[in-house]
Amino acid sequence: MSTTSQRMSRRTLLSGALAAGAMPLLTNAGEGRDPASLKPIDVKIRMAFNDLTLTATLYDNPSARDLGSMLPLDLRIEDYGRNERIAYLPRKLTEKGSGPFSNEQPGDLCYFKPWGNLALFYADYRWDGLIRLGRFDNDFDPLLVRGEYPVHIERV
């Protein structure tokens, strides 16, 4: 074997070993992102609008912790589509550690990455550009009230 082919062989072997070592890291990088596997944290928030109140428990992810650090907030909540209400945040949340999730269901509190707003779902939905921040406790009937209102969001 020539010196050049030995170097190529070593490079190929080294590259293969590095790639094989990185594969478990890449495979595990997506684990824990599915909100079905996320654990709630001890941060609860209250949203009050139109003499109605909702509470939600946040999940343990960087985006939800970022939202918690911004509270209290005074925003506007408004209708959006047939399945959600939205509230525009004063700045975008961190997207660190975000990824696709499954098991979307009414009662989810999410963050729309492209637009930087909260999405409060009261009906079925599916969208790839979301980060699930948490779930509403008990019921989410106040979200069914149509219209635009000031909303106060605070830690409970």
Side-chain angles (χ1 to χ4, degrees), residues 29 32-33 38 59-66 91-100 111 113 130-133:
R33 288 191 187 154
L38 286 178
Y59 282 121
D60 188 13
N61 67 49
S63 302
R65 287 191 296 274
D66 193 15
R91 68 167 174 82
K92 287 195 166 201
L93 299 177
T94 183
E95 296 176 15
K96 180 181 176 184
S98 69
Y111 173 70
K113 292 189 285 187
L130 294 170
I131 298 171
R132 191 180 299 175
L133 301 174

Side-chain angles (χ1 to χ4, degrees), residues 83 101-104 121 124-128 130:
N83 60 349
F101 63 88
S102 60
N103 193 26
E104 297 94 338
F121 290 98
D124 291 335
Y125 71 97
R126 186 174 248 5
W127 184 264
D128 291 336
L130 294 170

Side-chain angles (χ1 to χ4, degrees), residues 46-143:
R46 177 183 7 240
M47 299 179 158
F49 64 95
N50 192 33
D51 295 325
L52 302 168
T53 302
L54 287 163
T55 59
T57 302
L58 299 182
Y59 282 121
D60 188 13
N61 67 49
S63 302
R65 287 191 296 274
D66 193 15
L67 173 64
S69 74
M70 293 173 66
L71 300 178
L73 290 169
D74 288 304
L75 308 171
R76 288 203 67 75
I77 189 170
E78 59 188 66
D79 302 326
Y80 192 84
R82 313 177 327 263
N83 60 349
E84 70 186 283
R85 311 278 319 235
I86 60 171
Y88 293 97
L89 294 169
R91 68 167 174 82
K92 287 195 166 201
L93 299 177
T94 183
E95 296 176 15
K96 180 181 176 184
S98 69
F101 63 88
S102 60
N103 193 26
E104 297 94 338
Q105 53 192 312
D108 285 343
L109 171 62
C110 296
Y111 173 70
F112 267 123
K113 292 189 285 187
W115 299 291
N117 58 285
L118 295 178
L120 303 84
F121 290 98
Y122 57 83
D124 291 335
Y125 71 97
R126 186 174 248 5
W127 184 264
D128 291 336
L130 294 170
I131 298 171
R132 191 180 299 175
L133 301 174
R135 296 242 343 124
F136 290 105
D137 303 328
N138 304 321
D139 68 59
F140 45 88
D141 288 344
L143 296 177

